[in-house]
Structures are given as structure tokens and as C-alpha cells.
């Protein structure tokens, strides 16, 4: 009976996306592997102090992720150019201030730009801590508020939801609102800021001709080198530019920014938080392969599959590890370790087997020794918690009922996690 039910569930899940059916979903078929130890240097030396981690091992791991996985990104442009295009101090029925701010990504006011939508709670005693995340469908899709500017950037077509001729239309307002608990966040005293990821780099492979990349080519360069940024790194770089802006907005507490993302944008929030220590908290929602999930498990989506379906996401060098995960000098637990000792939350969904929930949990577990070396309580669990039973220490984790998505259950946990870590700070 139990077996029959399990098999039925597995078939239903695979039918949800038939192209995923040929991949491994059998725990017994996960290959045997040895993970690189985050606390042993490339020269084989054991890391025994926080200082040795900060000065030697962390930079070593960061450089490996830059050169082998996501690609190196350029430095921030000199002098941030921003333009506030909207302010309403009585937004969301009077409880929030809405701002829309254009950030010019090359520091020139005729260059590429991204628009940040921000809701700041009016009921607050000082600058507001903020959740910052990229969105998939345009800022206007996160809430039905008619004053949000409709993105003018390229979008994927989806006529049913109001995306036609690669442009967003009025019909698409609020199309993603179930994933953005804007009112709940504001009611709890947090600001929420979001940017359409397509403002930074449209999400299709065109050999890096559009988006931000060409603006940083040197000389006759026509595409990034094998160790230079792919799209995930570019999106992450855009998140850091939003943080640059927060540093000059007195309504935002830029020392308490939680960077959040779902799926490919969860991979992006992890890389943003790993590379930019100004992010005080990092949240990965169902980030899967190339995000929180351990690549060596090859459970669900694999390195080869992701590099084939999405050749623009990672750097050229990452393709060396197609079907050769063991050859990669890093695995994704080391990405989590790069965030230490800052709080990180990894969230999985039970039906999201493509993203390998167990592999996502194990990354947190295997990053735990680094978190402990740095004086925190780490993950505080030695096995995967039950469904819908979050564990929240300096590393947070949950696997919730349901599919690949961002739900109010997820946001409820993130708000609790932020209260725990941000409110205890002297604010
Ligand atoms: C899938 C991809 C995943 C995940 C997802 C998403 O097609 O295989 O890695 O990123 O897209 O971003 O929704």
C-alpha cells in the first residue's frame, strides 16, 4: 500500500514535467562521492581559526566559485547615478511609502538601467530593514497597485498573463502577487524592494549581446571569457547595485538587508550574498542545482542538464564539469559556507524533487562546521527535519508541503527568521 502510494506520487511528479523523467530520483542511485572539505586549504592544511578562514580559506573558495562556477563580475561603477521616478507616502492604503528608483548601471545616465520598486512601512521608528529580491515578471507583477511602472524591458511571451510581443501589458499587473507577501512584510515592519531581473540581463542565450555584459567588454571583446560572468553573476551584481543605492537612502536600514530569491533567482541570491558581505542575511527559496543543492548527488537536475538548457547562466568553465561533478574543486555547501557567519535560510518544497530537497539540506549541514568555527550555532540539526517543521538557527531550513513556488508559508518563516536575527541587533 505504502509502496503503491509512493510510486503513484512519483509518477504524478514526473508527469508534471516529462522532460525531467529520465533523471535520477532514486536515493539508492545517488553516486558515492567525497565532498571537498571547506576547512582544508588547497594545500591540504587544516583550517583551525576564524582568522585563517577569513584570510586564507574563504578567499580561496570565493576565487574558485568565481573562476569555475559563476564567473568574475566587474567592480561597481564609480559614482552611483540614480533617479527617483515616483514617491507616494500613502501607498497600500496609507500604511507604506512607495518609491520607484532608477539605477544607472554603468554610472552614466544614458546607459543601461534597472528600476527598484520599494515599499517602506510608515509605522517605524527608524530606517527599515529590507527584503530585497529580483522578480521574474516585472515589478508591476508583484502587486496590483496601479501606480507601479510597467516594465519596458524584454519579457518572455505569455499572452494568458498579459505578455505579448515580448512586452508586458496592463493585463500582467499583479500576475506574480501570490509570491510576494507585500502586505504581510510591511505589516511586520520590513521594507520590500524588488527589481525585474530582465532589466539587468534578459534571460535567454544570445551570446551575451544584450543586457549588461557588453557594457563591460574590454577592447574588441565580444563575449565574456571562460572565467567571466554569466547571467546569474550579472543578476547578482545588479543586487549589489541596489545595495549601493540603499546606502544613500535614509529610510532603509542598509545594515539589515536580506537578499532573497526563488529558483534561478535563489541561485542568484546565494551568489550575491556569498560575494557581497554587505548582505546581512541570505534566503534561498527552492534554488536547486547550481544553488543550494549539492551537485555531486546528481539527483534531479544535473550540472550537464543545466549547462545545456541554460548555457548563459554560469561561466564557460562550469561546462568542464558536465558529467564530471567530482572534478569540480567546490560543491555547493562551500557556497553556503562563504556566507558564514551571516544567517542563511535554505527552503525546499516536498514536490520539488527536480531541485533535490535533500541535497539542499545537506549543503546547509556540511556548511555547519564553518558556521561553528566562526562562533555561531550553525544549523542545529543532524538530520533533515520533517515536512513543515522548520529549524531556525544561524542556518535555517525547511521543507514544506507542495510544489516549486514561493508561498505565504515560506514568507512566514523568513519573517520569523529576520525577527530572530535582525531584531536582536541593537536597533
Ligand atoms: C528550471 C531549471 C531550474 C530552476 C527553474 C526556475 O527550468 O531547471 O534550475 O532554475 O527553472 O528558475 O524556475
Amino acid at each position: 500500500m505504502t509502496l503503491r502510494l509512493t510510486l503513484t506520487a512519483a509518477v504524478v511528479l514526473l508527469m508534471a514535467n516529462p522532460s525531467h523523467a529520465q533523471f535520477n530520483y532514486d536515493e539508492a542511485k545517488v553516486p558515492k562521492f567525497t565532498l571537498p572539505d571547506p576547512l582544508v586549504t588547497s594545500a591540504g592544511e587544516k583550517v583551525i581559526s576564524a582568522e585563517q578562514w577569513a584570510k586564507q580559506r574563504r578567499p580561496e573558495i570565493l576565487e574558485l566559485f568565481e573562476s569555475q562556477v559563476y564567473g568574475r563580475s566587474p567592480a561597481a561603477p564609480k559614482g552611483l547615478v540614480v533617479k527617483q521616478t515616483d514617491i507616494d507616502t500613502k501607498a497600500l492604503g496609507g500604511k507604506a511609502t512607495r518609491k520607484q528608483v532608477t539605477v544607472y548601471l554603468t554610472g552614466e545616465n544614458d546607459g543601461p538601467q534597472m528600476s527598484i520598486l520599494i515599499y517602506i512601512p510608515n509605522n517605524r521608528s527608524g530606517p527599515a530593514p529590507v527584503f530585497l529580491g529580483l522578480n521574474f515578471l516585472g515589478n508591476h507583477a508583484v502587486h496590483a497597485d496601479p501606480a507601479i511602472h510597467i516594465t519596458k524591458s524584454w519579457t518572455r511571451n505569455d499572452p494568458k498573463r498579459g505578455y505579448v510581443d515580448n512586452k508586458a501589458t496592463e493585463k500582467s499587473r499583479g500576475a506574480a502577487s501570490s509570491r510576494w507577501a507585500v502586505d504581510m512584510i510591511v505589516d511586520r515592519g520590513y521594507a520590500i524592494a524588488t527589481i525585474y531581473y530582465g532589466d539587468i540581463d534578459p534571460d535567454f542565450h544570445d551570446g551575451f549581446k544584450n543586457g549588461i555584459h557588453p557594457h563591460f567588454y574590454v577592447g574588441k571583446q565580444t563575449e565574456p571569457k571562460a572565467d567571466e560572468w554569466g547571467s546569474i553573476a550579472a543578476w547578482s551584481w545588479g543586487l549589489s547595485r541596489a545595495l549601493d543605492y540603499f546606502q544613500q537612502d535614509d529610510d532603509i536600514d542598509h545594515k539589515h538587508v536580506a537578499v532573497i530569491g526563488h529558483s534561478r533567482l535563489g541561485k542568484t541570491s546565494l551568489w550575491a550574498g556569498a560575494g557581497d558581505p554587505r548582505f546581512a542575511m541570505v534566503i534561498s527559496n527552492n534554488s536547486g542545482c547550481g544553488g543550494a543543492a549539492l551537485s555531486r548527488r546528481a539527483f534531479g537536475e544535473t550540472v550537464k542538464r543545466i549547462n545545456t538548457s541554460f548555457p548563459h547562466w554560469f561561466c564557460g568553465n562550469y561546462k568542464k564539469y558536465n558529467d564530471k561533478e567530482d572534478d569540480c574543486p567546490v560543491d555547493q555547501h562551500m557556497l553556503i559556507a562563504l556566507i558564514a557567519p551571516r544567517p542563511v535560510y535554505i527552503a525546499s518544497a516536498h514536490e520539488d524533487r527536480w531541485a533535490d530537497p535533500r541535497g539542499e539540506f545537506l549543503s546547509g549541514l556540511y556548511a555547519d562546521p564553518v558556521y561553528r568555527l566562526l562562533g555561531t550555532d550553525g544549523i542545529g540539526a543532524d538530520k533533515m527535519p520533517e515536512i513543515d517543521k522548520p529549524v531556525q538557527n544561524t542556518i535555517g531550513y525547511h521543507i514544506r508541503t507542495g510544489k516549486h513556488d514561493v508561498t505565504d508559508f515560506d514568507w512566514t518563516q523568513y519573517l520569523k527568521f529576520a525577527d530572530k536575527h535582525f531584531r536582536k541587533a541593537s536597533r
Side-chain angles (χ1 to χ4, degrees):
M1 178 65 172
T2 321
L3 179 66
R4 187 167 330 129
L5 274 180
T6 317
L7 286 177
T8 315
V11 169
V12 168
L13 290 178
L14 293 180
M15 276 167 51
N17 192 335
S19 70
H20 296 175
Q22 82 246 41
F23 291 87
N24 179 39
Y25 293 99
D26 181 353
E27 204 52 48
K29 290 196 184 132
V30 169
K32 284 214 167 18
F33 58 82
T34 309
L35 289 173
D37 188 336
L39 291 178
V40 174
T41 67
S42 300
E45 210 181 317
K46 184 95 190 112
V47 178
I48 50 168
S49 71
E51 197 195 357
Q52 204 187 348
W53 166 260
K55 294 225 169 98
Q56 199 184 348
R57 183 57 170 154
R58 189 181 182 282
E60 210 172 72
I61 296 175
L62 187 61
E63 147 44 56
L64 288 170
F65 273 103
E66 281 179 334
S67 64
Q68 304 301 308
V69 183
Y70 303 103
R72 302 177 204 282
S73 297
K78 285 206 184 69
L80 192 66
V81 180
V82 297
K83 191 165 91 192
Q84 187 173 295
T85 56
D86 168 52
I87 182 156
D88 177 1
T89 56
K90 297 202 168 48
L92 305 181
K95 69 183 177 193
T97 295
R98 186 192 59 245
K99 292 184 187 178
Q100 299 184 72
V101 176
T102 301
V103 174
Y104 293 88
L105 295 169
T106 52
E108 281 159 34
N109 60 12
D110 55 354
Q113 46 185 270
M114 65 179 191
S115 173
I116 317 180
L117 166 70
I118 315 168
Y119 289 104
I120 306 160
N122 287 336
N123 184 12
R124 62 188 163 83
S125 50
V130 61
F131 289 92
L132 167 69
L134 298 175
N135 65 70
F136 284 90
L137 296 177
N139 295 349
H140 66 284
V142 310
H143 197 280
D145 182 345
I148 305 174
H149 304 318
I150 294 193
T151 183
K152 294 194 181 76
S153 298
W154 177 94
T155 66
R156 202 166 286 108
N157 281 333
D158 184 353
K160 274 204 197 115
R161 288 205 280 187
Y163 297 88
V164 185
D165 296 334
N166 300 116
K167 287 268 171 263
T169 68
E170 271 295 330
K171 191 179 169 191
S172 57
R173 269 193 199 288
S177 57
S178 71
R179 287 185 170 180
W180 294 88
V182 172
D183 289 272
M184 195 200 297
I185 295 164
V186 167
D187 290 344
R188 288 280 289 270
Y190 293 88
I192 170 85
T194 187
I195 303 153
Y196 174 47
Y197 80 141
D199 284 3
I200 305 160
D201 189 24
D203 188 7
F204 63 91
H205 189 46
D206 70 336
F208 299 101
K209 291 188 186 55
N210 63 17
I212 190 67
H213 297 90
H215 297 272
F216 289 87
Y217 290 158
V218 175
K220 296 211 164 94
Q221 190 173 9
T222 54
E223 61 181 333
K225 295 188 194 133
D227 67 346
E228 288 180 341
W229 56 345
S231 293
I232 291 175
W235 298 324
S236 303
W237 180 89
L239 287 165
S240 286
R241 304 295 67 80
L243 213 154
D244 297 345
Y245 162 74
F246 293 157
Q247 288 180 321
Q248 60 180 50
D249 185 332
D250 292 341
D251 293 331
I252 305 276
D253 177 359
H254 63 263
K255 294 236 159 72
H256 292 97
V257 181
V259 64
I260 179 168
H262 170 61
S263 205
R264 69 198 69 182
L265 298 179
K267 310 180 207 299
T268 304
S269 65
L270 286 171
W271 181 230
D276 188 339
R278 294 176 302 167
F279 288 112
M281 178 179 291
V282 183
I283 302 169
S284 148
N285 194 90
N286 308 174
S287 63
C289 180
L294 290 177
S295 304
R296 279 167 174 73
R297 280 171 50 81
F299 186 103
E301 188 170 27
T302 62
V303 170
K304 182 179 179 189
R305 160 68 195 232
I306 206 165
N307 276 331
T308 310
S309 308
F310 308 103
H312 56 299
W313 283 2
F314 298 86
C315 72
N317 280 339
Y318 197 46
K319 301 187 175 58
K320 292 193 293 198
Y321 307 109
N322 288 353
D323 286 332
K324 293 196 184 101
E325 290 86 351
D326 277 330
D327 290 357
C328 189
V330 290
D331 209 319
Q332 299 305 105
H333 62 309
M334 295 156 92
L335 179 66
I336 308 300
L338 286 175
I339 298 164
R342 291 165 291 150
V344 60
Y345 201 113
I346 302 168
S348 309
H350 180 53
E351 289 173 34
D352 186 20
R353 302 203 315 151
W354 182 239
D356 186 14
R358 172 166 292 279
E360 294 180 316
F361 169 74
L362 289 176
S363 275
L365 186 68
Y366 297 137
D368 175 90
V370 177
Y371 272 83
R372 285 179 186 273
L373 179 73
L374 301 185
T376 78
D377 58 2
I379 197 164
D382 52 12
K383 60 176 188 325
M384 208 167 157
E386 285 168 35
I387 293 174
D388 298 331
K389 296 255 162 48
V391 284
Q392 296 203 2
N393 292 293
T394 307
I395 301 174
Y397 178 81
H398 71 243
I399 173 165
R400 67 155 165 76
T401 311
K403 61 183 176 60
H404 189 70
D405 199 1
V406 193
T407 68
D408 282 358
F409 177 92
D410 296 316
W411 276 110
T412 302
Q413 310 319 315
Y414 305 151
L415 284 162
K416 193 169 158 201
F417 193 63
D419 281 355
K420 177 181 163 109
H421 292 288
F422 284 178
R423 303 269 187 224
K424 79 174 178 205
S426 53
R427 295 190 319 104

